[in-house]
Amino acid sequence: LEARLCRASFEDFARRFWDVVVSEPLVWNWHMSAICEDLQAAAERVFAGLPKEADRVYNVPPGTSKSTLVSVLYPAWLWTRMLSAKVICGSYAHDLALDLSRKCRNVVKSEKYRRLFPEVQISEDQDAKGYFTNTAGGSRYCVGTGGAVTGFHGHFLLVDDPLDPNAAGKLTQADLKEANRWVSETLPSRKVNKEVTVTVLVMQRLHQEDPSAILLKRRSAGIQVKH
């Protein structure tokens, strides 16, 4: 019953696996439910092989659990519904992307996850912190902004803080140009299916021409982006 509840609802999954990732008691807020609901809506279309309705842009301040939900728990939940799901996760620094990937792998390897979802088995020959796969062809690959993604494709492209929020006052035009090019040009070329694969960008706004602005401008060109 617990496994069925978790599969059916990403929010239920996030609440039940929170203590695997975070040692502090869970303090749930309405915005977390909103993000979970919207992420699930996007995933359901991918599970069904349907064209996406829109890419996603979530702008939330620091300390609001965005990385725990989007980069850590969401990829682990996807495998409970779609074992073959391939996920590419990017962040502004490779070390940060690697740490988020490690936490996600810890969830998949946890006693609770293995008990509820025994069908999810990590491949013995690809079990690195930054890139791990399961025996059904699913994968989670992490990369820093601007990093190489050649050879990898994703059903889900998750971008978590493509710019360093601690360097907001020192961002150069070169920094913005590189991040924007990577988010809007490099990553989209790594979709498993251009019609189905969904891109999720979660970040705090740092500049009027940051990656959020670039993706949102695409709405005026007729490209569906949900904000």
Side-chain angles (χ1 to χ4, degrees):
L1 177 60
E2 187 177 5
R4 290 178 63 185
L5 288 171
C6 286
R7 286 193 184 95
S9 166
F10 174 49
E11 179 173 335
D12 278 353
F13 178 92
R15 288 175 178 269
R16 290 170 186 271
F17 280 86
W18 192 265
D19 61 352
V20 177
V21 184
V22 182
S23 58
E24 290 78 15
L26 172 60
V27 179
W28 198 263
N29 191 48
W30 69 265
H31 79 281
M32 298 164 74
S33 292
I35 289 176
C36 287
E37 180 180 351
D38 194 58
L39 284 173
Q40 175 155 355
E44 294 291 351
R45 298 190 69 84
V46 178
F47 298 155
L50 298 174
K52 66 183 178 184
E53 291 181 322
D55 288 323
R56 266 59 176 181
V57 177
Y58 305 137
N59 295 136
V60 290
T64 51
S65 303
K66 59 183 175 58
S67 294
T68 301
L69 290 175
V70 175
S71 296
V72 178
L73 293 171
Y74 189 50
W77 175 74
L78 292 173
W79 281 358
T80 72
R81 295 283 302 278
M82 181 180 175
L83 270 171
S84 61
K86 301 180 187 298
V87 187
I88 298 176
C89 301
S91 296
Y92 67 85
H94 184 262
D95 285 347
L96 173 60
L98 192 65
D99 185 58
L100 294 172
S101 183
R102 176 187 61 80
K103 290 177 179 177
C104 180
R105 189 178 67 158
N106 287 346
V107 172
V108 176
K109 287 190 167 189
S110 68
E111 185 279 330
K112 184 188 299 186
Y113 192 98
R114 289 186 289 109
R115 173 172 54 84
L116 296 179
F117 314 109
E119 70 278 9
V120 182
Q121 298 288 328
I122 298 293
S123 304
E124 293 183 1
D125 59 349
Q126 187 56 64
D127 187 13
K129 287 185 291 186
Y131 175 42
F132 54 95
T133 65
N134 66 43
T135 54
S139 63
R140 188 196 188 285
Y141 175 71
C142 81
V143 62
T145 300
V149 286
T150 303
F152 295 93
H153 293 83
H155 297 97
F156 298 86
L157 307 179
L158 310 180
V159 185
D160 185 346
D161 276 336
L163 292 168
D164 183 357
N166 296 315
K170 302 176 183 178
L171 289 174
T172 66
Q173 286 301 314
D175 294 330
L176 289 168
K177 183 177 180 180
E178 173 61 18
N180 290 338
R181 181 195 63 79
W182 191 76
V183 170
S184 63
E185 297 178 18
T186 302
L187 270 185
S189 70
R190 311 319 303 167
K191 296 178 179 180
V192 168
N193 184 319
K194 293 182 179 180
E195 299 299 320
V196 177
T197 292
V198 65
T199 300
V200 176
L201 170 63
V202 56
M203 64 179 295
Q204 53 180 303
R205 293 303 305 270
L206 300 175
H207 192 277
Q208 61 184 4
E209 293 297 328
D210 62 16
S212 283
I214 298 303
L215 288 189
L216 291 173
K217 283 181 180 179
R218 297 167 67 187
R219 288 197 296 190
S220 63
I223 300 174
Q224 293 299 311
V225 179
K226 186 174 182 181
H227 183 225

